[in-house]
Amino acid sequence: MNTINTHSEQRGRRGRHGRHGRHDDELGGEHLTATAPAASAASASASASASWTVVPEPVTSPDAVLLRRAYYAEVAGRYWKRQVTEAEIDQGLLDFPDDGLLPPTGGFVVGRRGGEPLACGGLRLLDHATAELTKVYVDPRARGTGGGAALLEALEAQGRALGAERVRLDTRSDLVEARALYARHGYAEIPAYKSGPYAEHWFEKRLA
């Protein structure tokens, strides 16, 4: 089960990609660039679930780029109901850059199972007390193996390290697996905390 989330506020070609919505970050239902103390804390709490290891990593690393491309291909493909082209993936990554996913305002992690990069996830601060999940993805070959739980554990630890008191996210109605994942891990559905034509469900989890 996987999760997916992207942004959607542009027109023309950007509008086409924006239709996937930020909620797509939840497609990895089974579901950082390192600098500053927050990154160190996140590194120290790098988590493993079963044979999974999840650690902070720059969004520009080779493995992170491959996973972000796979994430976008699945988000777009599910929305358009067809396979997307490499050019469309290129444009989508340009339209929705992840350069803000690094301390002190966010971060990015890569999950590996048996040493192979098969999952990723990002987190950004909305304000000093609220973090938001994004780009949560697990490769279809590895779903059902605990990758989603490992990603959430690592991302929540990073949120605490950044000073967040709660984690939020929004998702689409068709991403049933994502909603089930979050519910299993303590995320409660809440009223809309933001507007957007593709946000249909909103979740929050308090960080202890």
Side-chain angles (χ1 to χ4, degrees):
M1 168 173 139
N2 272 340
T3 316
I4 306 173
N5 282 344
T6 62
H7 298 270
S8 58
E9 317 214 20
Q10 309 176 34
R11 305 181 178 229
R13 181 177 249 328
R14 296 170 69 116
R16 291 178 61 202
H17 292 277
R19 291 168 67 84
H20 313 148
R22 222 144 100 209
H23 355 308
D24 300 345
D25 292 275
E26 286 117 40
L27 216 164
E30 269 270 44
H31 345 321
L32 312 197
T33 304
T35 58
S40 299
S43 298
S45 61
S47 63
S49 177
S51 56
W52 283 94
T53 300
V54 181
V55 296
E57 194 157 319
V59 295
T60 54
S61 77
D63 288 343
V65 170
L66 288 175
L67 287 164
R68 288 166 53 223
R69 292 183 69 83
Y71 158 82
Y72 190 83
E74 184 163 358
V75 178
R78 278 183 71 155
Y79 191 86
W80 291 337
K81 296 180 173 58
R82 64 168 175 80
Q83 186 172 349
V84 298
T85 67
E86 291 298 312
E88 288 171 330
I89 295 173
D90 290 340
Q91 186 61 48
L93 294 178
L94 288 174
D95 289 345
F96 309 111
D98 296 325
D99 51 1
L101 301 181
L102 73 167
T105 58
F108 194 80
V109 298
V110 168
R112 292 178 175 83
R113 186 167 187 258
E116 184 178 4
L118 293 169
C120 68
L123 175 140
R124 63 169 61 87
L125 288 179
L126 298 180
D127 57 49
H128 73 281
T130 309
E132 182 178 55
L133 297 184
T134 183
K135 305 297 187 300
V136 179
Y137 172 79
V138 175
D139 188 294
R141 297 170 296 167
R143 293 174 191 173
T145 63
L151 286 176
L152 291 179
E153 182 182 350
L155 290 168
E156 290 166 10
Q158 186 186 33
R160 292 186 189 93
L162 293 172
E165 300 172 3
R166 57 183 168 264
V167 177
R168 289 179 172 177
L169 62 101
D170 63 86
T171 188
R172 299 193 312 238
S173 292
D174 63 315
L175 298 176
V176 179
E177 317 96 321
R179 303 207 310 273
L181 170 74
Y182 293 122
R184 287 200 306 274
H185 291 278
Y187 287 77
E189 195 152 1
I190 60 172
Y193 65 88
K194 61 198 283 190
S195 61
Y198 308 106
E200 298 167 318
H201 298 270
W202 299 261
F203 287 84
E204 177 180 289
K205 179 177 180 178
R206 302 290 300 187
L207 298 177

